[in-house]
Amino acid sequence: MFTTEFLDLPALDTAHGTVSLPGSKSISNRVLLLAALSQGTTVIHDLLDSDDTRVMLAALRQLGCRIAPDAVVPGQAIEVTGIGGQLPADAAATLFLGNAGTAMRPLTAALAVLGGSFEMTGVPRMYERPIGDLVDALRQLGCRIAYLGNEGFPPLKIGRPDFSRFGQAPIQVRGDVSSQFLTSLLMALPLQAGSRDIVIEVVGELISRPYIHITLELLARFGIAVKNENWQRFVIPAGSRYRSPGEIHVEADASSASYFIALGAIATGMADTADADNATGRKSIRILGVGRDSIQGDIRFVEAARAMGAQVESGPNWLQVARGEPGQGWPLKAIDLDCNHIPDAAMTLAVMALYADGTTTLRNIASWRVKETDRIAAMAIELRKLGATVEEGPDYIRITPPASRADWKAASIHTYDDHRVAMCFSLAAFNPAKLPVRIEDPKCVAKTFPDYFEALFSVCQTERERIPVICIDGPTASGKGTIAAEVARALGYQLLDSGALYRITGLAASRAGLALDESNEETIAEMALDMPVRFDAQQRVWLGDEDISLAIRSEQAGMNASRVSALPAVRSALVDLQLAFQTLPGLVADGRDMGTVIFPHAPLKVYLSASAQCRAERRYKQLISKGISANISTLLADLEARDARDMQRATAPLKPAEDALLLDSSELTIEQVVAQVLSWWQERQPFGRA
Ligand code: DC
């Protein structure tokens, strides 16, 4: 997951490959609550690991459910042992539900019916998301719920219900604000359906029916057969009781699939034969985890994407998407669509509209206004930043793409703590003007798809020159390794510590018993060509299955590296390995010839320096802190000798690239140096300051 302040997406050219999608948020949190209310243990497969499911799991644990393991482990099922429809008489808790509507609403309903003493809290945005219609419906039954802040909004205080006055009258609930209210009642009221039918009546038009469909399908899996009378009345039969299905699979999120369907529709184009999926020579995107048999309404996004020109094939749990033929499905066709049936995925259509041949209108989307943010306003503002013309109404949005290539603008997209804004705007990186796109606060995707950007990058291609590289070089002990790592972290870029590659080569060669000189130049170069080297996410270095992070850091390993790095054949052998680090979204490369030989076209090269005295003091402190005794004047003499050798050596002498910016760090802290490098980088971006 990218936890940086912003993520810059270079302009992207094409897309091709397979993505496996994470479990659906809506299904995950419903399944968790249903399992929690049931008797017995439910084994849940493919549960989404996200902010929303984490708050739900934490709340259920507080309510006394047994959950094992403690957190979602990829590839491992999670077991939830339910409360069997009852809480202890003295149950009490304060539940923090973040910004998770899929936890707040259903839990409020379930706890209000079960009774106890509960405070339902969350982040400030949660306190702006309406819940009054649900509270009104629950009060008809005799539930006791009080507002702790503003009337109609969380936080809430839940007490013991008094069902004595509740007769046969139907419970009425508004259907036109959020379908989550009806979903919440449908999941809570079976707890009270012991001796009589419970009837729920929808007042006003029911929006987002597809989500009610998911609720009904899942209730059926947990033993509750609700009668759906034309989406207006729902009857929970007397005697309904939650029963665990034992085991359940969470299907992937159809709304998340929309980004990759759109990607296929926009970016697959014609392929080199080697890349093509079939004899037609077309590229495509294959999506695993959701398909034709999905119970999710957003799967109907496929129809909308087809209407815009996408070519979509599907199977029970997969989709395959390719761009339409030029003139038929490409550019995309503008559409005018009622999106009530696909409210979440429709945001993706708004960004696809940027690639359409006219004005696209998305209607009946009033619910966008009460989601994670006011999505109509947010989409309008951000689409305009890219150069689109946007008209915004109470329940519609109308988008005209930039008139020509020259009308596209490089934009820094504000994401409003809304995962879907962040994900759908990443598709703007395929703009014909080849401008980069900045996504602010990329970690907000964690709500439903923590590794969204990784998944996106894994199937996107762009010209090598568009993937930015920052080169950082400097003499020994100039702090370049530390600075490079910090800059990479701040930007979410890959890190190449080229010195480590020479250290690894030196280690491998000396272990093979080779003298590290010209006599073995070719042999060592051959070794370097196919070393099984791997850097993991924690920056550990692996040679095969051995962690050699420490072994390559010894003084001896440094000496060996210095020797092998003086052999031209070894240097050439390592070129391809170094180039392979230039991957999306960008790279920070540290080492002496990064800016001169390996990445001569890098848009930013920094040459760090510091006085020999200052570097000697830094090295001294470093050694002392490791418990190694040292002497400043000896270190100073060593450094000066090494500088002289490094600058004079024939192979890859230490010298700044001609276009490098020089930075003397003698008087600067690490933070100041990092800030300077980042500020130079920002100046080179078309977005201005973040
Ligand atoms: O930066 P370091 O100390 O890990 O580098 C180890 C050795 O490799 C050092 O002698 C410099 C050399 N080196 C090189 O010749 N070219 C590079 N790109 C990086 C390091």
Side-chain angles (χ1 to χ4, degrees):
M1 183 164 88
F2 287 87
T3 54
T4 48
E5 197 184 319
F6 55 81
L7 176 60
D8 288 347
L9 309 178
L12 299 171
D13 283 339
T14 54
H16 173 66
T18 301
V19 276
S20 295
L21 298 180
S24 143
K25 175 184 67 154
S26 310
I27 297 180
S28 291
N29 265 358
R30 280 175 178 77
V31 165
L32 282 176
L33 182 62
L34 295 174
L37 297 176
S38 298
Q39 184 99 47
T41 297
T42 307
V43 179
I44 306 172
H45 297 274
D46 302 324
L47 188 79
L48 172 69
D49 183 15
S50 75
D51 295 347
D52 283 22
T53 52
R54 260 176 244 146
V55 293
M56 182 65 117
L57 282 166
L60 297 181
R61 208 174 281 122
Q62 267 180 282
L63 295 172
C65 296
R66 201 180 59 80
I67 293 166
D70 274 346
V72 181
V73 178
Q76 198 179 322
I78 195 159
E79 293 186 9
V80 176
T81 307
I83 56 168
Q86 247 171 330
L87 282 172
D90 57 351
T94 297
L95 303 179
F96 174 78
L97 303 169
N99 194 12
T102 58
M104 175 62 85
R105 278 92 180 242
L107 269 174
T108 293
L111 294 178
V113 170
L114 287 168
S117 173
F118 302 104
E119 279 189 27
M120 314 296 281
T121 68
V123 300
R125 172 63 188 163
M126 179 60 97
Y127 299 164
E128 296 170 4
R129 298 178 66 183
I131 197 164
D133 294 311
L134 175 62
V135 170
D136 291 348
L138 289 163
R139 283 175 174 166
Q140 295 164 39
L141 206 76
C143 293
R144 293 223 169 92
I145 305 167
Y147 297 111
L148 295 173
N150 291 335
E151 189 80 7
F153 299 86
L156 306 173
K157 171 89 189 159
I158 294 174
R160 296 225 138 266
D162 172 7
F163 296 125
S164 59
R165 280 180 301 140
F166 172 55
Q168 295 300 323
I171 307 286
Q172 300 198 316
V173 64
R174 273 181 66 176
D176 54 357
V177 176
S178 165
S179 68
Q180 281 179 14
F181 300 155
L182 176 56
T183 278
S184 302
L185 291 174
L186 286 168
M187 295 204 291
L189 296 186
L191 296 167
Q192 267 306 308
S195 54
R196 61 189 184 300
D197 286 0
I198 295 189
V199 180
I200 306 172
E201 252 177 30
V202 179
V203 181
E205 197 201 346
L206 177 60
I207 59 165
S208 314
R209 278 182 201 177
Y211 286 105
I212 303 302
H213 176 70
I214 295 178
T215 306
L216 298 177
E217 289 275 331
L218 293 175
L219 279 166
R221 299 288 307 277
F222 281 84
I224 312 287
V226 178
K227 274 185 248 144
N228 173 0
E229 297 177 1
N230 201 23
W231 304 100
Q232 284 305 308
R233 273 165 62 94
F234 297 88
V235 182
I236 301 168
S240 290
R241 245 191 75 224
Y242 277 121
R243 268 179 291 111
S244 165
E247 204 164 351
I248 191 162
H249 285 262
V250 174
E251 68 178 71
D253 184 17
S255 319
S256 299
S258 73
Y259 312 111
F260 293 94
I261 296 169
L263 184 67
I266 293 167
T268 48
M270 296 302 284
D272 301 337
T273 22
D275 255 3
D277 286 311
N278 50 42
T280 63
R282 300 190 64 78
K283 286 188 184 185
S284 65
I285 291 287
R286 195 173 176 87
I287 300 163
L288 305 180
V290 65
R292 207 169 48 207
D293 295 350
S294 172
I295 61 169
Q296 299 169 74
D298 269 358
I299 197 65
R300 293 188 58 198
F301 176 84
V302 168
E303 296 161 22
R306 280 194 181 121
M308 291 190 86
Q311 302 196 335
V312 188
E313 289 173 50
S314 62
N317 62 350
W318 59 266
L319 298 165
Q320 184 132 352
V321 190
R323 191 160 97 174
E325 299 292 341
Q328 291 172 29
W330 185 255
L332 298 179
K333 285 175 263 184
I335 52 170
D336 185 328
L337 189 70
D338 181 326
C339 296
N340 188 36
H341 62 301
I342 48 169
D344 284 352
M347 292 170 75
T348 311
L349 296 175
V351 178
M352 288 174 79
L354 290 170
Y355 300 95
D357 57 4
T359 300
T360 289
T361 307
L362 307 177
R363 299 178 192 279
N364 207 354
I365 50 169
S367 67
W368 280 21
R369 298 234 182 244
V370 295
K371 290 294 175 79
E372 278 79 345
T373 184
D374 177 341
R375 286 176 165 170
I376 296 186
M379 294 303 287
I381 293 170
E382 304 308 315
L383 286 165
R384 284 187 195 119
K385 281 189 193 167
L386 290 163
T389 306
V390 185
E391 182 190 324
E392 174 194 335
D395 65 347
Y396 73 89
I397 190 166
R398 182 168 291 142
I399 302 137
T400 310
S404 72
R405 227 166 66 136
D407 295 303
W408 281 81
K409 298 194 206 93
S412 182
I413 301 297
H414 189 68
T415 49
Y416 309 84
D417 200 14
D418 185 340
H419 52 139
R420 301 212 181 280
V421 175
M423 293 190 277
C424 66
F425 274 95
S426 65
L427 297 167
F430 291 92
N431 65 81
K434 301 294 176 195
L435 295 166
V437 177
R438 172 166 292 179
I439 303 292
E440 296 171 17
D441 189 29
K443 69 175 180 314
C444 69
V445 301
K447 189 169 174 92
T448 47
F449 201 161
D451 291 331
Y452 172 73
F453 292 105
E454 288 83 346
L456 178 73
F457 294 148
S458 76
V459 289
C460 288
Q461 300 84 40
T462 196
E463 276 173 39
R464 177 175 281 283
E465 303 84 78
R466 292 214 189 90
I467 302 177
V469 182
I470 301 176
C471 296
I472 300 190
D473 198 6
T476 185
S478 61
K480 58 186 187 313
T482 311
I483 303 302
E486 286 298 310
V487 170
R489 207 168 55 81
L491 297 171
Y493 285 2
Q494 277 270 18
L495 177 66
L496 166 58
D497 169 3
S498 60
L501 300 182
Y502 291 99
R503 287 170 181 266
I504 297 164
T505 310
L507 182 77
S510 69
R511 279 185 180 176
L514 298 169
L516 309 182
D517 56 28
E518 297 82 3
S519 66
N520 290 313
E521 183 165 353
E522 291 308 324
T523 320
I524 300 174
E526 256 164 55
M527 285 182 78
L529 263 184
D530 55 14
M531 295 187 300
V533 195
R534 192 164 58 80
F535 292 79
D536 69 15
Q538 285 77 43
Q539 300 298 337
R540 279 180 310 213
V541 187
W542 297 83
L543 188 61
D545 46 21
E546 184 189 353
D547 178 353
I548 53 164
S549 318
L550 280 180
I552 59 165
R553 291 295 150 203
S554 70
E555 286 301 305
Q556 184 60 43
M559 290 294 290
N560 291 345
S562 170
R563 293 208 182 93
V564 295
S565 72
L567 305 171
V570 173
R571 298 198 78 81
S572 337
L574 287 175
V575 169
D576 285 345
L577 181 55
Q578 295 177 80
L579 289 176
F581 278 79
Q582 189 181 2
T583 54
L584 290 168
L587 172 68
V588 180
D590 117 53
R592 79 176 37 174
D593 57 351
M594 294 300 100
T596 46
V597 178
I598 309 293
F599 303 108
H601 303 297
L604 176 63
K605 300 171 188 174
V606 177
Y607 190 85
L608 284 181
S609 64
S611 66
Q613 179 68 33
C614 175
R615 287 182 285 135
E617 279 164 20
R618 287 181 189 163
R619 176 64 47 93
Y620 176 79
K621 281 193 199 136
Q622 198 182 28
L623 290 173
I624 296 296
S625 75
K626 284 192 201 157
I628 303 167
S629 65
N631 171 303
I632 293 206
S633 48
T634 323
L635 285 171
L636 180 60
D638 280 356
L639 273 175
E640 282 171 337
R642 192 157 158 190
D643 282 354
R645 241 192 357 254
D646 274 351
M647 286 188 239
Q648 280 147 25
R649 81 182 213 191
T651 317
L654 177 66
K655 66 164 197 299
E658 270 172 23
D659 49 351
L661 298 176
L662 306 186
L663 180 55
D664 185 336
S665 71
S666 305
E667 306 293 327
L668 301 177
T669 62
I670 292 174
E671 292 73 29
Q672 287 169 321
V673 177
V674 171
Q676 178 61 68
V677 175
L678 289 174
S679 133
W680 279 333
W681 184 241
Q682 293 280 29
E683 283 165 18
R684 282 163 171 65
Q685 307 312 311
F687 318 113
R689 278 176 184 278

